[in-house]
Amino acid sequence: MEGVRENLLEGKKVLVMSVNNPSKNPRPNRIIKFLANHGAIVDALSPKTSGDLKINREFNINELRPRLNERLLRVLLVLLRKVSPNFELKVKLTELAYGLNRIIPYPPRFDEYDIIVVEDIVFLPMAIRNRNKAKVLCDLREFYPLEFSNYFIFLLLQSDFMNELCMGYLKQCDSLITVSEGIAKMYKEKFDVSPEIIMSTPYYHDISPSINAHNQIKMVHHGMASPDRELERMIYTFKYLDDRFYLDFYLVGSQLYIQRLKNIAQKFYPRVKVLPPMDFDSFIPNLNKYDIGLYLLAPTNRNTLYSLPNKLFEFVQARLMVAIGPSPEMVKIVRKYDLGIIADNFEPQNLAEKLNRLKYEDILHYKRNSHKAAKILCYENESRKLLDIIRKLLS
């Protein structure tokens, strides 16, 4: 399936700034591929990539790792930021925490770019103060002031600063994008800005739904293991599910939390397994062997409430049926394309009751609907909006 192709970006210089490694993180990964496929000369300020992307030059920062000395340094800088009386000093301390004083081999010359794409809001002050004539596009992937609002430590040390960043810099951007209507609405209400919505859809995959043994329904969940997502709720459905159901987890993120999930899953072994993460570039074909993509995401904060995650669309590209809780942004997609079942609440028992009612013919029906929707819910289509945004920026 061909994406939109124009010469609009031919020879244009673009810098993509990302806290996360673009080789492993879907949003910066897709935008770099999109820009390069349209002829842009793309540089990246990010952790060192795997060399799998068409990047002209890399300006590398250290990947955020759980090493004790690095964590202690970041905590110290964040504590100093909390007591700092000066906003500019707060910005400087934040940039030190993210290693922006140690860019290897040297900092980029921001004034040579036509567009600067900011994938993480902590980079926004650096982009704005150095941009010269470059247009700045900021990807508001979360509602940053309340990203982890269910944690007291976040509210104490991070929330106010994120609010200040938004107040000080969002209106200085030339364009803003975000992932869902709910998050866009929060930015409009709080900061009077109107991000355009670019959903986190993957590229189209030309595959067909799998047909598996009817007496064994294989479910899957993949992605970030973060305690605020309460992934254990999906494991607890196995207190109530009949013996047809199996669930595999493929997780990255907090190793402490992953171990906790393994301990809980052990009670339901072998029906529930926590497995090593799949390779980033091949996991959609690997997901295709499953029947149901599962995501019961409790609304622990405003971002989880309005989440419209990559994995929902990856389930669709893998041609899976979807089973979710009543997360409003996901519900819109699942209902619109009739992709699967929606629990009445976020309790494991309710979702299990709905799953138990399924016949295998129902699952095949939903998988066929995913097959149809995959041609629509793909980055080739979603990137048309991005192309329109860039056209406006360069005109």
Side-chain angles (χ1 to χ4, degrees):
M1 186 173 178
E2 292 297 321
V4 181
R5 175 74 182 169
E6 285 188 17
N7 293 325
L8 181 71
L9 280 163
E10 202 72 48
K12 298 293 183 183
K13 292 186 177 181
V14 183
L15 177 68
V16 177
M17 305 174 74
S18 175
V19 164
N20 298 299
N21 184 340
S23 289
K24 303 173 184 176
N25 194 270
R27 290 282 281 195
N29 183 286
R30 282 191 291 264
I31 203 163
I32 287 172
K33 286 179 179 176
F34 167 82
L35 293 164
N37 287 344
H38 286 78
I41 301 166
V42 184
D43 293 348
L45 195 165
S46 70
K48 187 171 180 61
T49 71
S50 305
D52 56 332
L53 295 167
K54 192 176 178 181
I55 295 173
N56 176 51
R57 291 179 298 175
E58 289 196 33
F59 303 97
N60 294 136
I61 56 174
N62 287 333
E63 198 157 4
L64 295 180
R65 282 173 248 183
R67 292 178 181 171
L68 182 60
N69 60 333
E70 293 178 11
R71 291 175 69 182
L72 289 174
L73 176 60
R74 287 200 300 274
V75 169
L76 176 61
L77 291 168
V78 169
L79 289 171
L80 288 172
R81 185 182 71 191
K82 177 64 179 176
V83 299
S84 171
N86 181 280
F87 179 63
E88 285 72 25
L89 180 57
K90 291 180 182 180
V91 169
K92 184 64 176 176
L93 289 167
T94 303
E95 292 176 355
L96 288 173
Y98 284 88
L100 296 186
N101 62 320
R102 303 187 305 276
I103 300 171
I104 298 171
Y106 46 81
R109 284 190 53 190
F110 289 81
D111 59 355
E112 70 181 36
Y113 296 103
D114 298 288
I115 298 173
I116 301 169
V117 178
V118 178
E119 280 292 326
D120 295 274
I121 198 170
V122 293
F123 286 167
L124 194 51
M126 174 178 274
I128 293 292
R129 71 172 178 264
N130 292 300
R131 66 178 171 180
N132 195 11
K133 294 180 180 179
K135 303 294 185 180
V136 174
L137 186 159
C138 184
D139 189 357
L140 300 169
R141 297 179 290 113
E142 310 281 350
F143 186 72
Y144 286 103
L146 297 176
E147 185 173 6
F148 298 108
S149 58
N150 49 314
Y151 295 116
F152 173 75
I153 196 71
F154 176 87
L155 293 174
L156 179 68
L157 298 179
Q158 294 275 73
S159 184
D160 287 346
F161 176 68
M162 292 296 171
N163 191 67
E164 288 181 86
L165 272 185
C166 291
M167 290 286 289
Y169 287 96
L170 292 187
K171 288 191 175 180
Q172 296 189 60
C173 296
D174 298 285
S175 185
L176 301 169
I177 60 175
T178 191
V179 298
S180 75
E181 292 177 4
I183 291 178
K185 185 177 179 181
M186 285 194 286
Y187 276 109
K188 178 63 177 175
E189 290 173 350
K190 180 71 175 176
F191 303 109
D192 193 30
V193 294
S194 299
E196 298 187 59
I197 297 164
I198 307 291
M199 296 188 298
S200 294
T201 54
Y203 282 98
Y204 179 77
H205 285 65
D206 189 10
I207 54 180
S208 298
S210 60
I211 299 175
N212 298 314
H214 293 200
N215 61 346
Q216 187 180 100
I217 297 170
K218 299 194 293 183
M219 303 191 296
V220 66
H221 178 92
H222 71 284
M224 180 64 67
S226 177
D228 69 304
R229 300 183 181 187
E230 298 186 357
L231 303 183
E232 58 270 22
R233 288 174 182 259
M234 289 180 280
I235 301 176
Y236 290 137
T237 61
F238 280 79
K239 291 181 180 180
Y240 314 102
L241 285 171
D242 67 50
D243 59 10
R244 295 177 297 162
F245 290 91
Y246 289 76
L247 172 62
D248 288 347
F249 281 98
Y250 298 93
L251 302 173
V252 297
S254 167
Q255 291 304 307
L256 283 174
Y257 184 50
I258 291 174
Q259 186 57 53
R260 180 176 147 203
L261 294 172
K262 285 181 178 179
N263 294 340
I264 299 170
Q266 191 63 36
K267 300 171 187 176
F268 302 99
Y269 184 85
R271 294 175 64 202
V272 181
K273 297 176 185 175
V274 180
L275 302 170
M278 289 184 279
D279 180 70
F280 181 81
D281 289 324
S282 62
F283 67 81
I284 288 179
N286 286 332
L287 289 177
N288 179 250
K289 66 186 178 185
Y290 292 92
D291 295 301
I292 299 174
L294 188 67
Y295 201 10
L296 189 63
L297 178 62
T300 54
N301 57 52
R302 295 293 290 277
N303 284 291
T304 54
L305 173 62
Y306 293 116
S307 177
L308 188 56
N310 297 286
K311 65 178 60 59
L312 176 67
F313 302 107
E314 289 157 358
F315 291 155
V316 172
Q317 283 303 322
R319 306 323 197 253
L320 305 186
M321 172 192 159
V322 174
I324 62 167
S327 303
E329 299 296 327
M330 287 193 267
V331 165
K332 293 175 190 174
I333 300 295
V334 173
R335 283 185 176 156
K336 181 175 181 179
Y337 297 99
D338 191 22
L339 300 174
I341 61 172
I342 302 164
D344 300 319
N345 54 50
F346 294 97
E347 296 306 314
Q349 185 172 359
N350 184 268
L351 179 59
E353 289 170 355
K354 289 183 177 285
L355 287 166
N356 283 335
R357 293 181 201 139
L358 286 171
K359 298 177 182 177
Y360 199 75
E361 291 74 17
D362 301 324
I363 295 171
L364 291 178
H365 164 77
Y366 291 126
K367 291 174 90 169
R368 285 192 289 267
N369 287 348
S370 279
H371 188 53
K372 296 173 188 174
K375 294 181 179 179
I376 303 167
L377 299 174
C378 61
Y379 199 66
E380 285 85 347
N381 281 335
E382 203 64 16
S383 64
R384 294 173 188 272
K385 303 176 194 174
L386 187 57
L387 195 66
D388 286 340
I389 290 167
I390 290 173
R391 188 184 292 112
K392 293 173 187 173
L393 289 180
L394 294 177
S395 63

